[in-house]
Amino acid sequence: VSTQSTGNLRMSYKKITPTPVAGNIWFQATMTLPAKGRGCHLITEHIEKVKELEQFKVGLCHVLLLHTSASLTLNENWDPAVRQDMEMMLDKIAPEGGITYTHTCEGPDDMPAHVKSTLIGSELTIPIHNGKLTLGRWQGLWLCEHRNCAGTRKIVITLSGAPQTSK
């Protein structure tokens, strides 16, 4: 553990890679996620199945959702009740009924879906270490589906970083 002090600021950190890692590699792919019903769904395992993750010693995994009526977030991966409660709260923030939306041509669930997508976001960046996503013990990637009858969803996964060294 390294400790540095500057004025009143004291900071400590633990090095994950003991020395800087040379080189840079990139990988990019699209992935189609299966259609899901409305709600928040764990998709961590889909991202972790990208075989090319194993090639990275240290880097970043960027995930972009190519849709405007769903979103991506990083949250609780253990208790499904958290995902149910999140869906309930999002419905209170952007309800289908009780508000007169101007954009209605795609159905009553579409404009609330756009609001939810804007609030939550459509991209995530997760560190990579030794070929694996670096997530907290209880963290998982969620696809938040805001439409009642949505189809498949497409994401772009971009990996960037230093390659594993051969032993």
Side-chain angles (χ1 to χ4, degrees), residues 16-17 25 44-63 74 125-136 139 141 157-164:
I16 294 175
T17 55
I25 58 174
T44 311
E45 65 182 20
H46 294 281
I47 310 303
E48 291 175 332
K49 286 182 182 176
V50 174
K51 186 115 176 94
E52 287 77 8
L53 264 171
E54 299 170 3
Q55 297 176 23
F56 290 83
K57 173 75 175 167
V58 63
L60 297 172
C61 172
H62 183 263
V63 184
L74 193 62
T125 303
I126 302 106
I128 302 168
H129 179 68
N130 286 335
K132 296 183 187 303
L133 298 177
T134 305
L135 296 169
Q139 287 182 315
L141 285 79
I157 301 166
T158 305
L159 308 177
S160 173
Q164 298 275 13

Side-chain angles (χ1 to χ4, degrees), residues 11-31:
M11 177 188 78
S12 64
Y13 60 93
K14 179 182 176 186
K15 292 181 183 180
I16 294 175
T17 55
T19 59
V21 182
N24 194 22
I25 58 174
W26 288 83
F27 172 79
Q28 190 171 65
T30 59
M31 178 183 286

Side-chain angles (χ1 to χ4, degrees), residues 67-71 111-122 146:
H67 302 273
T68 60
S69 56
S71 56
M111 190 58 218
H114 291 310
V115 172
K116 295 169 189 177
S117 176
T118 296
L119 292 174
I120 295 176
S122 60
H146 307 305

Side-chain angles (χ1 to χ4, degrees), residues 38 69 96 106-114 146-150:
R38 186 177 182 150
S69 56
E96 283 184 38
E106 296 180 66
D109 65 337
D110 188 52
M111 190 58 218
H114 291 310
H146 307 305
R147 297 296 307 266
N148 293 325
C149 298

